[in-house]
Amino acid sequence: SAVISQKPSRDICQRGTSLTIQCQVDSQVTMMFWYRQQPGQSLTLIATANQGSEATYESGFVIDKFPISRPNLTFSTLTVSNMSPEDSSIYLCSVEGLGSYEQYFGPGTRLTVT
Amino acid sequence: AQKITQTQPGMFVQEKEAVTLDCTYDTSDPSYGLFWYKQPSSGEMIFLIYQGSYDQQNATEGRYSLNFQKARKSANLVISASQLGDSAMYFCAMRETLNSNYQLIWGAGTKLIIKP
């Protein structure tokens, strides 16, 4: 299994500001995934990040709002830009296990926008 | 149409009893995988069990087993001898092989509360 860390674990931000979330994996992985989980809801995929190429965004998510970087095979960042209270969620990164099917998740970043 | 349906928003179960969490799915892909994850109040997503569509036997992992009924398109999670620490949200998810970006499709989740 992969060990994934995320920074920050939680933050309280003001409306209109931006926050960058970091995701670090202890092994090289091809694909990393960024999810949003709004309060009381299931997970929604924001985008898939491959190293060396542009992230692929799901319907309803755009690069200007959620820019993603993937500079190498063990690291990725997600920025939540121009935040509003509706962006208050848990943001999770995940990777697919090497030689296995399951996706492993980081501990998540709890974001509150006031 | 919903691809993953979890019909139980919440469940209360007495400690030490077995519990079954329901999950039905919809796909036309002959090759797919089904997953169950646990999310405690801390927010982390914990992988529990995986079932491939071509697997002949139901998956088991310790106290967790997956009751896979392919014809009915159901993949229920069974937790034996429930413990207080099993209280959490449980999510069923599916990945279709033809979906080349490895995206997981998620159910709405079931909140399980174990009573002492």
Side-chain angles (χ1 to χ4, degrees), chain A residues 31 33 35 37 41-43 45 48 58 92 96 101-103 105 107 110, chain B residues 35 37 39 41-43 45 47 50 91 95 101-104 106-108:
Chain A
M31 304 178 75
F33 307 89
Y35 288 90
Q37 186 179 27
Q41 303 294 315
S42 185
L43 278 70
L45 183 65
T48 303
E58 297 301 307
L92 296 135
E96 185 153 302
Y101 296 107
E102 53 263 35
Q103 282 190 13
F105 284 81
R110 288 182 181 268
Chain B
F35 304 78
Y37 285 85
Q39 187 178 40
S41 57
S42 58
M45 293 292 289
F47 167 75
Y50 167 81
F91 292 96
R95 190 185 76 180
N101 72 356
Y102 302 94
Q103 178 179 342
L104 287 179
W106 295 85

PDB file of all heavy atoms in Angstrom, chain A residues 31 33 35 37 41-43 45 48 58 92 96 101-103 105 107 110, chain B residues 35 37 39 41-43 45 47 50 91 95 101-104 106-108:
ATOM      1  N   MET A  31      -0.720   7.995 -11.572  1.00  0.00           N
ATOM      2  CA  MET A  31      -1.903   8.840 -11.519  1.00  0.00           C
ATOM      3  C   MET A  31      -2.217   9.229 -10.079  1.00  0.00           C
ATOM      4  O   MET A  31      -2.140   8.405  -9.170  1.00  0.00           O
ATOM      5  CB  MET A  31      -3.101   8.110 -12.132  1.00  0.00           C
ATOM      6  CG  MET A  31      -2.854   7.629 -13.552  1.00  0.00           C
ATOM      7  SD  MET A  31      -4.232   6.724 -14.221  1.00  0.00           S
ATOM      8  CE  MET A  31      -5.350   8.069 -14.536  1.00  0.00           C
ATOM      9  N   PHE A  33      -5.254  11.479  -7.877  1.00  0.00           N
ATOM     10  CA  PHE A  33      -6.632  11.948  -7.991  1.00  0.00           C
ATOM     11  C   PHE A  33      -6.919  12.952  -6.877  1.00  0.00           C
ATOM     12  O   PHE A  33      -6.477  12.766  -5.742  1.00  0.00           O
ATOM     13  CB  PHE A  33      -7.617  10.782  -7.871  1.00  0.00           C
ATOM     14  CG  PHE A  33      -7.340   9.648  -8.819  1.00  0.00           C
ATOM     15  CD1 PHE A  33      -6.491   8.616  -8.459  1.00  0.00           C
ATOM     16  CD2 PHE A  33      -7.934   9.617 -10.073  1.00  0.00           C
ATOM     17  CE1 PHE A  33      -6.234   7.565  -9.324  1.00  0.00           C
ATOM     18  CE2 PHE A  33      -7.683   8.575 -10.949  1.00  0.00           C
ATOM     19  CZ  PHE A  33      -6.833   7.552 -10.572  1.00  0.00           C
ATOM     20  N   TYR A  35     -10.120  14.746  -4.887  1.00  0.00           N
ATOM     21  CA  TYR A  35     -11.551  14.662  -4.625  1.00  0.00           C
ATOM     22  C   TYR A  35     -11.980  15.799  -3.707  1.00  0.00           C
ATOM     23  O   TYR A  35     -11.201  16.298  -2.891  1.00  0.00           O
ATOM     24  CB  TYR A  35     -11.895  13.347  -3.909  1.00  0.00           C
ATOM     25  CG  TYR A  35     -11.818  12.102  -4.745  1.00  0.00           C
ATOM     26  CD1 TYR A  35     -10.632  11.374  -4.847  1.00  0.00           C
ATOM     27  CD2 TYR A  35     -12.948  11.620  -5.413  1.00  0.00           C
ATOM     28  CE1 TYR A  35     -10.571  10.216  -5.596  1.00  0.00           C
ATOM     29  CE2 TYR A  35     -12.890  10.450  -6.157  1.00  0.00           C
ATOM     30  CZ  TYR A  35     -11.700   9.761  -6.240  1.00  0.00           C
ATOM     31  OH  TYR A  35     -11.644   8.610  -6.974  1.00  0.00           O
ATOM     32  N   GLN A  37     -15.159  16.475  -0.891  1.00  0.00           N
ATOM     33  CA  GLN A  37     -16.272  15.882  -0.157  1.00  0.00           C
ATOM     34  C   GLN A  37     -16.936  16.987   0.650  1.00  0.00           C
ATOM     35  O   GLN A  37     -16.424  17.418   1.695  1.00  0.00           O
ATOM     36  CB  GLN A  37     -15.806  14.758   0.763  1.00  0.00           C
ATOM     37  CG  GLN A  37     -16.956  14.028   1.425  1.00  0.00           C
ATOM     38  CD  GLN A  37     -16.506  12.909   2.322  1.00  0.00           C
ATOM     39  OE1 GLN A  37     -15.401  12.924   2.858  1.00  0.00           O
ATOM     40  NE2 GLN A  37     -17.358  11.902   2.503  1.00  0.00           N
ATOM     41  N   GLN A  41     -21.770  14.609   2.365  1.00  0.00           N
ATOM     42  CA  GLN A  41     -21.918  14.092   0.993  1.00  0.00           C
ATOM     43  C   GLN A  41     -20.879  13.021   0.695  1.00  0.00           C
ATOM     44  O   GLN A  41     -19.967  12.760   1.482  1.00  0.00           O
ATOM     45  CB  GLN A  41     -21.757  15.246  -0.012  1.00  0.00           C
ATOM     46  CG  GLN A  41     -22.727  16.393   0.184  1.00  0.00           C
ATOM     47  CD  GLN A  41     -24.156  15.989  -0.093  1.00  0.00           C
ATOM     48  OE1 GLN A  41     -24.441  15.323  -1.094  1.00  0.00           O
ATOM     49  NE2 GLN A  41     -25.065  16.379   0.793  1.00  0.00           N
ATOM     50  N   SER A  42     -21.058  12.422  -0.466  1.00  0.00           N
ATOM     51  CA  SER A  42     -20.078  11.448  -0.951  1.00  0.00           C
ATOM     52  C   SER A  42     -18.928  12.179  -1.629  1.00  0.00           C
ATOM     53  O   SER A  42     -18.877  13.408  -1.651  1.00  0.00           O
ATOM     54  CB  SER A  42     -20.760  10.493  -1.923  1.00  0.00           C
ATOM     55  OG  SER A  42     -19.882   9.466  -2.318  1.00  0.00           O
ATOM     56  N   LEU A  43     -18.001  11.411  -2.165  1.00  0.00           N
ATOM     57  CA  LEU A  43     -16.842  12.000  -2.817  1.00  0.00           C
ATOM     58  C   LEU A  43     -17.161  12.393  -4.253  1.00  0.00           C
ATOM     59  O   LEU A  43     -17.862  11.659  -4.963  1.00  0.00           O
ATOM     60  CB  LEU A  43     -15.678  11.008  -2.829  1.00  0.00           C
ATOM     61  CG  LEU A  43     -14.839  10.917  -1.564  1.00  0.00           C
ATOM     62  CD1 LEU A  43     -15.618  10.280  -0.439  1.00  0.00           C
ATOM     63  CD2 LEU A  43     -13.552  10.171  -1.815  1.00  0.00           C
ATOM     64  N   LEU A  45     -15.038  13.540  -7.726  1.00  0.00           N
ATOM     65  CA  LEU A  45     -13.720  13.680  -8.338  1.00  0.00           C
ATOM     66  C   LEU A  45     -13.580  15.051  -8.966  1.00  0.00           C
ATOM     67  O   LEU A  45     -14.432  15.457  -9.765  1.00  0.00           O
ATOM     68  CB  LEU A  45     -13.510  12.593  -9.393  1.00  0.00           C
ATOM     69  CG  LEU A  45     -12.151  12.562 -10.089  1.00  0.00           C
ATOM     70  CD1 LEU A  45     -11.043  12.227  -9.097  1.00  0.00           C
ATOM     71  CD2 LEU A  45     -12.157  11.570 -11.243  1.00  0.00           C
ATOM     72  N   THR A  48      -7.945  14.364 -12.398  1.00  0.00           N
ATOM     73  CA  THR A  48      -6.904  13.346 -12.389  1.00  0.00           C
ATOM     74  C   THR A  48      -5.617  14.000 -12.850  1.00  0.00           C
ATOM     75  O   THR A  48      -5.597  14.703 -13.877  1.00  0.00           O
ATOM     76  CB  THR A  48      -7.272  12.193 -13.345  1.00  0.00           C
ATOM     77  OG1 THR A  48      -8.537  11.665 -12.947  1.00  0.00           O
ATOM     78  CG2 THR A  48      -6.224  11.105 -13.302  1.00  0.00           C
ATOM     79  N   GLU A  58     -12.996  17.020 -14.218  1.00  0.00           N
ATOM     80  CA  GLU A  58     -14.343  16.484 -14.363  1.00  0.00           C
ATOM     81  C   GLU A  58     -15.319  17.631 -14.619  1.00  0.00           C
ATOM     82  O   GLU A  58     -15.018  18.809 -14.368  1.00  0.00           O
ATOM     83  CB  GLU A  58     -14.735  15.719 -13.114  1.00  0.00           C
ATOM     84  CG  GLU A  58     -13.856  14.504 -12.851  1.00  0.00           C
ATOM     85  CD  GLU A  58     -13.895  13.506 -13.997  1.00  0.00           C
ATOM     86  OE1 GLU A  58     -15.003  13.102 -14.401  1.00  0.00           O
ATOM     87  OE2 GLU A  58     -12.808  13.115 -14.481  1.00  0.00           O
ATOM     88  N   LEU A  92      -9.421  15.553  -0.663  1.00  0.00           N
ATOM     89  CA  LEU A  92      -8.648  14.319  -0.510  1.00  0.00           C
ATOM     90  C   LEU A  92      -7.860  14.033  -1.779  1.00  0.00           C
ATOM     91  O   LEU A  92      -8.390  14.176  -2.890  1.00  0.00           O
ATOM     92  CB  LEU A  92      -9.577  13.134  -0.247  1.00  0.00           C
ATOM     93  CG  LEU A  92     -10.381  13.182   1.059  1.00  0.00           C
ATOM     94  CD1 LEU A  92     -11.819  12.785   0.819  1.00  0.00           C
ATOM     95  CD2 LEU A  92      -9.753  12.252   2.078  1.00  0.00           C
ATOM     96  N   GLU A  96      -3.573   5.156  -7.047  1.00  0.00           N
ATOM     97  CA  GLU A  96      -3.868   3.746  -7.231  1.00  0.00           C
ATOM     98  C   GLU A  96      -2.645   2.940  -6.830  1.00  0.00           C
ATOM     99  O   GLU A  96      -1.519   3.306  -7.177  1.00  0.00           O
ATOM    100  CB  GLU A  96      -4.243   3.444  -8.679  1.00  0.00           C
ATOM    101  CG  GLU A  96      -4.670   1.994  -8.880  1.00  0.00           C
ATOM    102  CD  GLU A  96      -5.617   1.845 -10.038  1.00  0.00           C
ATOM    103  OE1 GLU A  96      -6.671   2.488 -10.030  1.00  0.00           O
ATOM    104  OE2 GLU A  96      -5.281   1.072 -10.957  1.00  0.00           O
ATOM    105  N   TYR A 101      -5.680  -2.867  -7.381  1.00  0.00           N
ATOM    106  CA  TYR A 101      -6.779  -2.063  -7.896  1.00  0.00           C
ATOM    107  C   TYR A 101      -7.239  -0.975  -6.936  1.00  0.00           C
ATOM    108  O   TYR A 101      -7.859  -0.016  -7.341  1.00  0.00           O
ATOM    109  CB  TYR A 101      -7.966  -2.975  -8.208  1.00  0.00           C
ATOM    110  CG  TYR A 101      -7.687  -3.967  -9.296  1.00  0.00           C
ATOM    111  CD1 TYR A 101      -7.503  -5.303  -9.013  1.00  0.00           C
ATOM    112  CD2 TYR A 101      -7.619  -3.556 -10.626  1.00  0.00           C
ATOM    113  CE1 TYR A 101      -7.245  -6.210 -10.023  1.00  0.00           C
ATOM    114  CE2 TYR A 101      -7.361  -4.455 -11.635  1.00  0.00           C
ATOM    115  CZ  TYR A 101      -7.179  -5.788 -11.327  1.00  0.00           C
ATOM    116  OH  TYR A 101      -6.922  -6.686 -12.321  1.00  0.00           O
ATOM    117  N   GLU A 102      -6.955  -1.163  -5.671  1.00  0.00           N
ATOM    118  CA  GLU A 102      -7.536  -0.206  -4.722  1.00  0.00           C
ATOM    119  C   GLU A 102      -6.857   1.151  -4.812  1.00  0.00           C
ATOM    120  O   GLU A 102      -5.693   1.268  -5.151  1.00  0.00           O
ATOM    121  CB  GLU A 102      -7.427  -0.737  -3.284  1.00  0.00           C
ATOM    122  CG  GLU A 102      -6.059  -1.155  -2.854  1.00  0.00           C
ATOM    123  CD  GLU A 102      -5.847  -2.645  -2.982  1.00  0.00           C
ATOM    124  OE1 GLU A 102      -6.400  -3.242  -3.941  1.00  0.00           O
ATOM    125  OE2 GLU A 102      -5.139  -3.210  -2.142  1.00  0.00           O
ATOM    126  N   GLN A 103      -7.619   2.163  -4.507  1.00  0.00           N
ATOM    127  CA  GLN A 103      -7.090   3.513  -4.391  1.00  0.00           C
ATOM    128  C   GLN A 103      -6.838   3.799  -2.915  1.00  0.00           C
ATOM    129  O   GLN A 103      -7.669   3.494  -2.065  1.00  0.00           O
ATOM    130  CB  GLN A 103      -8.062   4.548  -4.970  1.00  0.00           C
ATOM    131  CG  GLN A 103      -8.046   4.637  -6.481  1.00  0.00           C
ATOM    132  CD  GLN A 103      -8.827   5.821  -7.013  1.00  0.00           C
ATOM    133  OE1 GLN A 103      -9.198   6.741  -6.274  1.00  0.00           O
ATOM    134  NE2 GLN A 103      -9.074   5.820  -8.313  1.00  0.00           N
ATOM    135  N   PHE A 105      -5.939   6.674   0.000  1.00  0.00           N
ATOM    136  CA  PHE A 105      -6.252   8.075   0.216  1.00  0.00           C
ATOM    137  C   PHE A 105      -5.345   8.704   1.258  1.00  0.00           C
ATOM    138  O   PHE A 105      -4.917   8.050   2.217  1.00  0.00           O
ATOM    139  CB  PHE A 105      -7.703   8.219   0.692  1.00  0.00           C
ATOM    140  CG  PHE A 105      -8.702   8.042  -0.407  1.00  0.00           C
ATOM    141  CD1 PHE A 105      -9.068   6.781  -0.828  1.00  0.00           C
ATOM    142  CD2 PHE A 105      -9.269   9.141  -1.024  1.00  0.00           C
ATOM    143  CE1 PHE A 105      -9.987   6.609  -1.854  1.00  0.00           C
ATOM    144  CE2 PHE A 105     -10.193   8.984  -2.048  1.00  0.00           C
ATOM    145  CZ  PHE A 105     -10.544   7.719  -2.460  1.00  0.00           C
ATOM    146  N   PRO A 107      -4.969  11.658   4.290  1.00  0.00           N
ATOM    147  CA  PRO A 107      -5.839  11.917   5.441  1.00  0.00           C
ATOM    148  C   PRO A 107      -6.837  13.040   5.222  1.00  0.00           C
ATOM    149  O   PRO A 107      -7.734  13.234   6.038  1.00  0.00           O
ATOM    150  CB  PRO A 107      -4.842  12.281   6.551  1.00  0.00           C
ATOM    151  CG  PRO A 107      -3.651  12.802   5.827  1.00  0.00           C
ATOM    152  CD  PRO A 107      -3.577  12.024   4.545  1.00  0.00           C
ATOM    153  N   ARG A 110      -9.291  19.523   5.723  1.00  0.00           N
ATOM    154  CA  ARG A 110     -10.594  20.115   6.063  1.00  0.00           C
ATOM    155  C   ARG A 110     -10.506  21.625   5.886  1.00  0.00           C
ATOM    156  O   ARG A 110      -9.777  22.306   6.605  1.00  0.00           O
ATOM    157  CB  ARG A 110     -10.977  19.794   7.504  1.00  0.00           C
ATOM    158  CG  ARG A 110     -11.367  18.362   7.740  1.00  0.00           C
ATOM    159  CD  ARG A 110     -11.778  18.139   9.184  1.00  0.00           C
ATOM    160  NE  ARG A 110     -12.131  16.768   9.443  1.00  0.00           N
ATOM    161  CZ  ARG A 110     -13.353  16.288   9.350  1.00  0.00           C
ATOM    162  NH1 ARG A 110     -14.356  17.071   9.002  1.00  0.00           N
ATOM    163  NH2 ARG A 110     -13.592  15.015   9.629  1.00  0.00           N
TER     164      ARG A 110
ATOM    165  N   PHE B  35     -15.599  -1.817  -4.675  1.00  0.00           N
ATOM    166  CA  PHE B  35     -14.795  -1.463  -3.510  1.00  0.00           C
ATOM    167  C   PHE B  35     -15.711  -1.038  -2.362  1.00  0.00           C
ATOM    168  O   PHE B  35     -16.765  -0.459  -2.578  1.00  0.00           O
ATOM    169  CB  PHE B  35     -13.872  -0.275  -3.824  1.00  0.00           C
ATOM    170  CG  PHE B  35     -12.970  -0.476  -5.006  1.00  0.00           C
ATOM    171  CD1 PHE B  35     -13.452  -0.349  -6.306  1.00  0.00           C
ATOM    172  CD2 PHE B  35     -11.630  -0.752  -4.832  1.00  0.00           C
ATOM    173  CE1 PHE B  35     -12.627  -0.518  -7.411  1.00  0.00           C
ATOM    174  CE2 PHE B  35     -10.790  -0.918  -5.918  1.00  0.00           C
ATOM    175  CZ  PHE B  35     -11.289  -0.796  -7.205  1.00  0.00           C
ATOM    176  N   TYR B  37     -15.164   1.279   1.221  1.00  0.00           N
ATOM    177  CA  TYR B  37     -14.294   2.125   2.031  1.00  0.00           C
ATOM    178  C   TYR B  37     -15.018   2.517   3.301  1.00  0.00           C
ATOM    179  O   TYR B  37     -16.240   2.677   3.320  1.00  0.00           O
ATOM    180  CB  TYR B  37     -13.904   3.396   1.266  1.00  0.00           C
ATOM    181  CG  TYR B  37     -12.871   3.189   0.196  1.00  0.00           C
ATOM    182  CD1 TYR B  37     -13.233   2.768  -1.079  1.00  0.00           C
ATOM    183  CD2 TYR B  37     -11.524   3.420   0.453  1.00  0.00           C
ATOM    184  CE1 TYR B  37     -12.283   2.579  -2.065  1.00  0.00           C
ATOM    185  CE2 TYR B  37     -10.565   3.238  -0.535  1.00  0.00           C
ATOM    186  CZ  TYR B  37     -10.955   2.822  -1.781  1.00  0.00           C
ATOM    187  OH  TYR B  37     -10.006   2.649  -2.761  1.00  0.00           O
ATOM    188  N   GLN B  39     -15.059   5.476   6.345  1.00  0.00           N
ATOM    189  CA  GLN B  39     -14.627   6.831   6.674  1.00  0.00           C
ATOM    190  C   GLN B  39     -15.042   7.167   8.097  1.00  0.00           C
ATOM    191  O   GLN B  39     -16.202   7.512   8.357  1.00  0.00           O
ATOM    192  CB  GLN B  39     -15.193   7.862   5.702  1.00  0.00           C
ATOM    193  CG  GLN B  39     -14.621   9.258   5.916  1.00  0.00           C
ATOM    194  CD  GLN B  39     -15.147  10.277   4.926  1.00  0.00           C
ATOM    195  OE1 GLN B  39     -16.323  10.277   4.587  1.00  0.00           O
ATOM    196  NE2 GLN B  39     -14.263  11.163   4.468  1.00  0.00           N
ATOM    197  N   SER B  41     -15.026   9.454  11.661  1.00  0.00           N
ATOM    198  CA  SER B  41     -15.288  10.893  11.832  1.00  0.00           C
ATOM    199  C   SER B  41     -14.026  11.726  11.590  1.00  0.00           C
ATOM    200  O   SER B  41     -14.123  12.925  11.328  1.00  0.00           O
ATOM    201  CB  SER B  41     -15.839  11.165  13.218  1.00  0.00           C
ATOM    202  OG  SER B  41     -14.951  10.696  14.211  1.00  0.00           O
ATOM    203  N   SER B  42     -12.859  11.120  11.667  1.00  0.00           N
ATOM    204  CA  SER B  42     -11.609  11.832  11.397  1.00  0.00           C
ATOM    205  C   SER B  42     -11.486  12.246   9.928  1.00  0.00           C
ATOM    206  O   SER B  42     -10.694  13.133   9.604  1.00  0.00           O
ATOM    207  CB  SER B  42     -10.417  10.962  11.774  1.00  0.00           C
ATOM    208  OG  SER B  42     -10.449   9.732  11.060  1.00  0.00           O
ATOM    209  N   GLY B  43     -12.242  11.601   9.048  1.00  0.00           N
ATOM    210  CA  GLY B  43     -12.265  12.012   7.651  1.00  0.00           C
ATOM    211  C   GLY B  43     -11.424  11.172   6.710  1.00  0.00           C
ATOM    212  O   GLY B  43     -11.587  11.265   5.494  1.00  0.00           O
ATOM    213  N   MET B  45     -10.157   8.097   4.450  1.00  0.00           N
ATOM    214  CA  MET B  45     -10.839   7.032   3.711  1.00  0.00           C
ATOM    215  C   MET B  45      -9.987   5.781   3.823  1.00  0.00           C
ATOM    216  O   MET B  45      -8.835   5.762   3.391  1.00  0.00           O
ATOM    217  CB  MET B  45     -11.010   7.416   2.246  1.00  0.00           C
ATOM    218  CG  MET B  45     -11.961   8.567   2.015  1.00  0.00           C
ATOM    219  SD  MET B  45     -13.656   8.144   2.401  1.00  0.00           S
ATOM    220  CE  MET B  45     -14.036   7.030   1.061  1.00  0.00           C
ATOM    221  N   PHE B  47      -9.512   1.860   2.861  1.00  0.00           N
ATOM    222  CA  PHE B  47      -9.903   0.775   1.968  1.00  0.00           C
ATOM    223  C   PHE B  47     -10.182  -0.483   2.786  1.00  0.00           C
ATOM    224  O   PHE B  47      -9.399  -0.867   3.654  1.00  0.00           O
ATOM    225  CB  PHE B  47      -8.792   0.506   0.957  1.00  0.00           C
ATOM    226  CG  PHE B  47      -8.958  -0.778   0.206  1.00  0.00           C
ATOM    227  CD1 PHE B  47      -9.903  -0.887  -0.802  1.00  0.00           C
ATOM    228  CD2 PHE B  47      -8.192  -1.888   0.517  1.00  0.00           C
ATOM    229  CE1 PHE B  47     -10.058  -2.075  -1.495  1.00  0.00           C
ATOM    230  CE2 PHE B  47      -8.337  -3.076  -0.156  1.00  0.00           C
ATOM    231  CZ  PHE B  47      -9.285  -3.175  -1.162  1.00  0.00           C
ATOM    232  N   TYR B  50     -12.089  -5.488  -1.835  1.00  0.00           N
ATOM    233  CA  TYR B  50     -12.247  -5.365  -3.284  1.00  0.00           C
ATOM    234  C   TYR B  50     -12.791  -6.675  -3.864  1.00  0.00           C
ATOM    235  O   TYR B  50     -12.407  -7.767  -3.429  1.00  0.00           O
ATOM    236  CB  TYR B  50     -10.898  -5.045  -3.931  1.00  0.00           C
ATOM    237  CG  TYR B  50     -10.891  -5.199  -5.439  1.00  0.00           C
ATOM    238  CD1 TYR B  50     -11.386  -4.187  -6.250  1.00  0.00           C
ATOM    239  CD2 TYR B  50     -10.412  -6.358  -6.042  1.00  0.00           C
ATOM    240  CE1 TYR B  50     -11.392  -4.328  -7.628  1.00  0.00           C
ATOM    241  CE2 TYR B  50     -10.421  -6.502  -7.414  1.00  0.00           C
ATOM    242  CZ  TYR B  50     -10.909  -5.483  -8.200  1.00  0.00           C
ATOM    243  OH  TYR B  50     -10.914  -5.620  -9.560  1.00  0.00           O
ATOM    244  N   PHE B  91     -18.698   3.601   2.298  1.00  0.00           N
ATOM    245  CA  PHE B  91     -18.970   3.926   0.906  1.00  0.00           C
ATOM    246  C   PHE B  91     -18.672   2.732   0.018  1.00  0.00           C
ATOM    247  O   PHE B  91     -17.632   2.082   0.146  1.00  0.00           O
ATOM    248  CB  PHE B  91     -18.114   5.109   0.446  1.00  0.00           C
ATOM    249  CG  PHE B  91     -18.477   6.414   1.084  1.00  0.00           C
ATOM    250  CD1 PHE B  91     -17.795   6.864   2.204  1.00  0.00           C
ATOM    251  CD2 PHE B  91     -19.503   7.193   0.561  1.00  0.00           C
ATOM    252  CE1 PHE B  91     -18.131   8.076   2.792  1.00  0.00           C
ATOM    253  CE2 PHE B  91     -19.840   8.400   1.148  1.00  0.00           C
ATOM    254  CZ  PHE B  91     -19.158   8.843   2.263  1.00  0.00           C
ATOM    255  N   ARG B  95     -15.335   0.676 -10.224  1.00  0.00           N
ATOM    256  CA  ARG B  95     -14.506   1.132 -11.327  1.00  0.00           C
ATOM    257  C   ARG B  95     -14.770   0.245 -12.526  1.00  0.00           C
ATOM    258  O   ARG B  95     -14.716  -0.971 -12.430  1.00  0.00           O
ATOM    259  CB  ARG B  95     -13.027   1.094 -10.982  1.00  0.00           C
ATOM    260  CG  ARG B  95     -12.171   1.791 -12.046  1.00  0.00           C
ATOM    261  CD  ARG B  95     -10.723   1.645 -11.746  1.00  0.00           C
ATOM    262  NE  ARG B  95     -10.252   0.304 -12.084  1.00  0.00           N
ATOM    263  CZ  ARG B  95      -9.004  -0.088 -11.922  1.00  0.00           C
ATOM    264  NH1 ARG B  95      -8.116   0.721 -11.402  1.00  0.00           N
ATOM    265  NH2 ARG B  95      -8.627  -1.296 -12.254  1.00  0.00           N
ATOM    266  N   ASN B 101      -9.537   6.183 -17.242  1.00  0.00           N
ATOM    267  CA  ASN B 101      -8.853   7.067 -16.304  1.00  0.00           C
ATOM    268  C   ASN B 101      -8.953   6.566 -14.871  1.00  0.00           C
ATOM    269  O   ASN B 101      -8.644   7.293 -13.950  1.00  0.00           O
ATOM    270  CB  ASN B 101      -9.381   8.498 -16.419  1.00  0.00           C
ATOM    271  CG  ASN B 101     -10.781   8.655 -15.850  1.00  0.00           C
ATOM    272  OD1 ASN B 101     -11.395   7.682 -15.436  1.00  0.00           O
ATOM    273  ND2 ASN B 101     -11.279   9.862 -15.838  1.00  0.00           N
ATOM    274  N   TYR B 102      -9.371   5.328 -14.676  1.00  0.00           N
ATOM    275  CA  TYR B 102      -9.385   4.679 -13.368  1.00  0.00           C
ATOM    276  C   TYR B 102     -10.307   5.371 -12.372  1.00  0.00           C
ATOM    277  O   TYR B 102     -10.138   5.251 -11.174  1.00  0.00           O
ATOM    278  CB  TYR B 102      -7.967   4.622 -12.786  1.00  0.00           C
ATOM    279  CG  TYR B 102      -6.999   3.888 -13.669  1.00  0.00           C
ATOM    280  CD1 TYR B 102      -6.216   4.559 -14.585  1.00  0.00           C
ATOM    281  CD2 TYR B 102      -6.893   2.507 -13.593  1.00  0.00           C
ATOM    282  CE1 TYR B 102      -5.341   3.883 -15.404  1.00  0.00           C
ATOM    283  CE2 TYR B 102      -6.025   1.824 -14.406  1.00  0.00           C
ATOM    284  CZ  TYR B 102      -5.249   2.515 -15.317  1.00  0.00           C
ATOM    285  OH  TYR B 102      -4.383   1.846 -16.123  1.00  0.00           O
ATOM    286  N   GLN B 103     -11.275   6.102 -12.872  1.00  0.00           N
ATOM    287  CA  GLN B 103     -12.161   6.839 -11.978  1.00  0.00           C
ATOM    288  C   GLN B 103     -13.037   5.887 -11.190  1.00  0.00           C
ATOM    289  O   GLN B 103     -13.587   4.931 -11.727  1.00  0.00           O
ATOM    290  CB  GLN B 103     -13.042   7.779 -12.794  1.00  0.00           C
ATOM    291  CG  GLN B 103     -14.034   8.568 -11.967  1.00  0.00           C
ATOM    292  CD  GLN B 103     -14.855   9.496 -12.837  1.00  0.00           C
ATOM    293  OE1 GLN B 103     -14.480   9.783 -13.966  1.00  0.00           O
ATOM    294  NE2 GLN B 103     -15.961   9.975 -12.319  1.00  0.00           N
ATOM    295  N   LEU B 104     -13.175   6.152  -9.911  1.00  0.00           N
ATOM    296  CA  LEU B 104     -14.110   5.431  -9.060  1.00  0.00           C
ATOM    297  C   LEU B 104     -15.448   6.159  -9.046  1.00  0.00           C
ATOM    298  O   LEU B 104     -15.488   7.381  -8.938  1.00  0.00           O
ATOM    299  CB  LEU B 104     -13.575   5.325  -7.639  1.00  0.00           C
ATOM    300  CG  LEU B 104     -12.414   4.352  -7.389  1.00  0.00           C
ATOM    301  CD1 LEU B 104     -11.995   4.402  -5.936  1.00  0.00           C
ATOM    302  CD2 LEU B 104     -12.818   2.937  -7.777  1.00  0.00           C
ATOM    303  N   TRP B 106     -18.853   6.586  -6.941  1.00  0.00           N
ATOM    304  CA  TRP B 106     -19.141   6.413  -5.516  1.00  0.00           C
ATOM    305  C   TRP B 106     -20.633   6.401  -5.230  1.00  0.00           C
ATOM    306  O   TRP B 106     -21.418   7.113  -5.869  1.00  0.00           O
ATOM    307  CB  TRP B 106     -18.508   7.561  -4.725  1.00  0.00           C
ATOM    308  CG  TRP B 106     -17.023   7.551  -4.781  1.00  0.00           C
ATOM    309  CD1 TRP B 106     -16.254   8.095  -5.757  1.00  0.00           C
ATOM    310  CD2 TRP B 106     -16.139   6.945  -3.850  1.00  0.00           C
ATOM    311  NE1 TRP B 106     -14.924   7.863  -5.482  1.00  0.00           N
ATOM    312  CE2 TRP B 106     -14.827   7.176  -4.319  1.00  0.00           C
ATOM    313  CE3 TRP B 106     -16.314   6.243  -2.656  1.00  0.00           C
ATOM    314  CZ2 TRP B 106     -13.700   6.716  -3.643  1.00  0.00           C
ATOM    315  CZ3 TRP B 106     -15.190   5.799  -1.968  1.00  0.00           C
ATOM    316  CH2 TRP B 106     -13.908   6.034  -2.463  1.00  0.00           C
ATOM    317  N   GLY B 107     -21.002   5.604  -4.240  1.00  0.00           N
ATOM    318  CA  GLY B 107     -22.339   5.661  -3.695  1.00  0.00           C
ATOM    319  C   GLY B 107     -22.448   6.793  -2.686  1.00  0.00           C
ATOM    320  O   GLY B 107     -21.461   7.440  -2.332  1.00  0.00           O
ATOM    321  N   ALA B 108     -23.669   7.005  -2.201  1.00  0.00           N
ATOM    322  CA  ALA B 108     -23.934   8.116  -1.279  1.00  0.00           C
ATOM    323  C   ALA B 108     -23.473   7.824   0.140  1.00  0.00           C
ATOM    324  O   ALA B 108     -23.345   8.743   0.948  1.00  0.00           O
ATOM    325  CB  ALA B 108     -25.424   8.441  -1.286  1.00  0.00           C
TER     326      ALA B 108
END
